[in-house]
């Protein structure tokens, strides 16, 4: 599925997880938005990937090789930056 439906499916889950944890759900939403827009490991992750997939002569494994590394970098940055900018605070 593309990014918008993935965000729509996981939004209530992440919101509930934040509330059940007893903290503000906003950092969970920010992390979710960054995560769903970071699909680099497949050519179907983004319309721009599909635009270059055929004409560029790329194979699925080409996206997988570079995309997994990029996904790991974005994951680490997501965890670090979201926790620095939007720290987990308890609900009032």
């Amino acid at each position: 599925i593309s990014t918008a439906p993935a965000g729509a499916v996981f939004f209530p889950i992440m919101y509930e997880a934040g509330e059940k944890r007893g903290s503000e759900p906003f950092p969970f939403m920010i992390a979710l938005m960054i995560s769903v827009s970071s699909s680099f490991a497949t050519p179907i992750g983004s319309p721009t990937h599909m635009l270059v997939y055929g004409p560029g002569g790329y194979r699925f494994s080409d996206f997988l090789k570079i995309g997994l590394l990029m996904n790991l970098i974005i994951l680490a940055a997501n965890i670090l930056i979201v926790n620095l900018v939007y720290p987990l605070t308890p609900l009032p």
Side-chain angles (χ1 to χ4, degrees):
I1 66 175
S2 66
T3 59
V9 167
F10 283 100
F11 180 84
I13 297 167
M14 295 300 286
Y15 190 87
E16 190 72 25
E19 284 191 332
K20 292 260 189 215
R21 190 182 176 283
S23 64
E24 190 69 37
F26 191 69
F28 291 86
M29 301 299 100
I30 297 296
L32 174 67
M33 287 188 292
I34 294 169
S35 298
V36 299
S37 63
S38 311
S39 177
F40 303 114
T42 65
I44 57 174
S46 168
T48 53
H49 292 171
M50 289 303 292
L51 286 172
V52 299
Y53 180 61
Y58 295 107
R59 296 185 316 263
F60 192 89
S61 60
D62 295 333
F63 282 89
L64 198 59
K65 285 182 226 173
I66 301 299
L68 284 178
L69 177 62
M70 289 178 64
N71 282 348
L72 290 174
I73 292 169
I74 294 295
L75 173 67
N78 189 3
I79 292 170
L80 178 70
I81 293 169
V82 169
N83 282 319
L84 288 175
V85 177
Y86 302 104
L88 296 175
T89 56
L91 287 172

